[in-house]
Amino acid sequence: MRLALIGALLLATTAAAQDLTGHGGPVSALAAGAAVAVSGGFDGRVILWDSTQASALRIARLHDGNVTAVALAGETRFLSAGQDGRIALWDKGGADPIWSTPKEVSPVSALTLGGDQVAAGFLDGRIARIDLATGAMTLHPAHEGRVAGLAFLPDGSLASVGGDLRFSRWDSAGTLLARTSLPDLPNGLARAGDALAIPFAEGALRLLSPEGEILPERFLSERPLVAVAANAETVAAAAVDGTVWLLDLPTLAPRAEVPGGTGPVWALALEGETLFAAGMQGVIRRLSAVDGASLGGTPLATASLPEDTSRGAEVWQACAVCHSLDPGDHSRAGPSLHGVLGRRIASVEGYDFSPALRAMEIVWTPETISELFEFGPEAYTPGSRMPDQRVGDPADRQALVEYLSRFAP
Amino acid sequence: MARMKFLCDADRCIECNACVTACKNEHEVPWGINRRRVVTLNDGLPGERSVSMACMHCTDAPCASVCPVSCFYTTADGVVLHNKDTCIGCGYCSYACPFGAPQYPQMANFGTRGKMDKCTYCAGGPEADHSQAEYVKYGKNRLAEGKLPLCAEMCSTKSLLAGDGDIIAEIYRERVVTRGYGSGAWGWRTAYGETVTV
């Protein structure tokens, strides 16, 4: 009995310390609560995690393209937003979202939750206010350029930073309460105790008062900072080279630096003494918020190199972010291409193809694959979710087909 | 070989937006996209300054380092261009760019992954110089004609300078020495990793 208890404890400890793996490609958005976390990525999936067990509780798909922002609404409900401009509220159970907003012409670039209000910022500078209960949405212009970050303040007002190098505060009706200029391009916004933490493209992390006054600032990097997370004691920031910093509040005294080397970290989330960090690598790493030590233990992988040095391998690199060559690996944005030659279009099991592709009669041969990239998916397979990539050089198309015949037989 | 750079002297910009208009007209940039924009800081307050922002063609371009399909390349002149045939519209370059340069079409549903668009330094793209395909995707290739970017050519106060980095830095140095002040080489250090020493 005692051995079983010790075993169960060890298992739980091991699971609790694990990194979160499941996205098939870069992870763009993260949020964490006491026992759950939610993430979104370039594979178009939104995953609700049991962060104590490091297991997926729910995998949701709604958005066309990248999932750009997520938020937790309690332990069982979560929000997602994407490149398609849609925002959705999900529950742990149920096939469909509780509500979702219509597609917009602009992607969602920021998302935050305050009480029963959701705020979303768009790449074109608008802000949407959404009622959490009903999904009813109102929009108002806010910035000239991307809304880079949003946060509700304790008084109920909404703080925003944008590509027009401005910090703004809005009331619940979308009326501008205050506006100040920022010294550089902001790349996020997080509540940091009584202040707001903003990472800047020039590599600086700054604290702002709710009135927009610049408090302490610290230059962390020569590279742009692209992610931030904070709580009352700690602020974390990450740069495009993947370096992560932990700093004390309110002084911004550096506490720890976690070296990069595996590509950009696009999203951070702080929960208690754990920092979740995710980006190009696709793994949600679990770090100590105290000293930056890796808790998850997943080895840092460098970018995967092509398996040979042919021109075909170079051309394939542009496909590899969306397609795997492993049999049955449909975790990425597109299906596995293992065995694609000789297969009818949209016929492989386990991937949710668009109806347009399912209705087509194409069989993938060296000739049809070459034609696909000569004319582009928009013309050759209209209705496909595939980006309109083309390979203009016939020799490159031939090299790609030869590569596929070698590695995706 | 020249190392082409932009220099925006924020002490001279009068926020006329001629650079924005010239660019849009020269390249027939689609609705919803401005490859160049003018941002005014401290608008209406003491210390108001404007800066003309676009792709600065960085020395170690962050956009290129984060592109998952490696669609960016740097020309022999130091101009950072991208191949729209390879771009998948993932949007990561827009998060990495220190100048907010990458733009995306708003006419279509972005879920279809519209191609990223940005300043080309009037240097076209990977297609043959002056070809119709190059013009449609990237706009005019003035550099291949021996001309500099039209935004800088149109700048009435010569706030925006384009050309070989050493030459425009020297022009800026002379300017600062003559007028006795200067803090306007906005973004130079971020883009090129060095300061314009005066």
Side-chain angles (χ1 to χ4, degrees), chain B residues 111-147:
Chain B
T112 58
R113 314 243 176 88
K115 304 292 183 181
M116 187 273 281
D117 191 88
K118 74 169 189 71
C119 159
T120 64
Y121 205 87
C122 290
E127 272 77 7
D129 286 351
H130 310 306
S131 64
Q132 180 66 12
E134 182 188 55
Y135 182 73
V136 168
K137 290 180 192 170
Y138 307 98
K140 274 201 177 166
N141 190 339
R142 292 171 53 87
L143 218 59
E145 296 173 352
K147 299 171 181 171

Side-chain angles (χ1 to χ4, degrees), chain A residues 293-310:
Chain A
S294 173
L295 302 176
T298 304
L300 292 176
T302 51
S304 59
L305 296 170
E307 295 177 47
D308 68 9
T309 55
S310 69

Side-chain angles (χ1 to χ4, degrees), chain A residues 53-359:
Chain A
Q53 295 298 312
S55 59
L57 294 169
R58 168 84 199 267
I59 299 175
R61 269 185 189 270
L62 174 78
H63 302 285
D64 286 337
N66 204 348
V67 177
T68 54
V70 294
L72 278 168
E75 292 292 302
T76 61
R77 294 195 301 171
F78 55 100
L79 291 145
S80 67
Q83 269 188 325
D84 55 1
R86 300 180 82 177
I87 301 140
L89 175 68
W90 303 84
D91 191 78
K92 192 168 82 172
D96 298 319
I98 298 169
W99 54 253
S100 62
T101 60
K103 287 184 178 179
E104 287 282 338
V105 293
S106 185
V108 177
S109 51
L111 184 70
T112 190
L113 178 67
D116 57 358
Q117 284 282 306
V118 180
F122 291 85
L123 211 67
D124 63 5
R126 292 174 302 161
I127 287 178
R129 307 292 283 258
I130 306 163
D131 184 85
L132 183 65
T134 65
M137 181 170 76
T138 56
L139 284 155
H140 65 84
H143 291 277
E144 292 174 19
R146 172 169 68 103
V147 177
L150 291 169
F152 280 104
L153 300 176
D155 65 359
S157 63
L158 178 69
S160 67
V161 290
D164 53 0
L165 280 61
R166 288 194 170 97
F167 164 86
S168 302
R169 236 169 9 97
W170 312 87
D171 70 9
S172 58
T175 306
L176 185 64
L177 299 173
R179 171 165 277 178
T180 57
S181 287
L182 298 169
D184 198 67
L185 190 73
N187 265 336
L189 180 65
R191 282 269 302 278
D194 295 331
L196 296 159
I198 304 175
F200 285 87
E202 61 183 335
L205 180 71
R206 294 186 173 92
L207 292 183
L208 254 68
S209 73
E211 288 72 40
E213 178 193 4
I214 293 181
L215 303 171
E217 63 181 359
R218 187 164 296 276
F219 283 81
L220 297 171
S221 173
E222 297 285 315
R223 309 296 283 167
L225 299 183
V226 290
V228 68
N231 57 27
E233 296 87 29
T234 305
V235 58
V240 289
D241 63 0
T243 308
V244 176
W245 291 266
L246 286 157
L247 304 102
D248 292 328
L249 286 173
T251 59
L252 290 189
R255 187 190 300 166
E257 178 177 331
V258 183
T262 56
V265 166
W266 293 121
L268 295 167
L270 266 170
E271 176 55 35
E273 295 194 343
T274 302
L275 173 68
F276 295 92
M280 195 61 87
Q281 197 186 16
V283 175
I284 302 169
R285 293 166 62 204
R286 202 189 291 254
L287 305 170
S288 163
V290 177
D291 59 9
S294 173
L295 302 176
T298 304
L300 292 176
T302 51
S304 59
L305 296 170
E307 295 177 47
D308 68 9
T309 55
S310 69
R311 176 63 186 153
E314 289 178 34
V315 179
W316 167 254
Q317 279 193 316
C319 318
V321 68
C322 295
H323 297 284
S324 167
L325 292 176
D326 296 330
D329 179 8
H330 305 305
S331 65
R332 303 190 186 189
S336 166
L337 294 186
H338 181 83
V340 68
L341 285 164
R343 194 162 69 202
R344 184 179 173 274
I345 190 171
S347 63
V348 69
E349 292 296 321
Y351 184 80
D352 181 24
F353 289 96
S354 59
L357 287 198
R358 287 187 187 281

Side-chain angles (χ1 to χ4, degrees), chain B residues 17-36:
Chain B
N17 277 282
C19 52
V20 178
T21 311
C23 171
K24 201 160 173 67
N25 190 55
E26 180 75 348
H27 303 298
E28 295 191 37
V29 179
W31 183 89
I33 293 176
N34 281 332
R35 291 181 178 177
R36 181 167 284 286

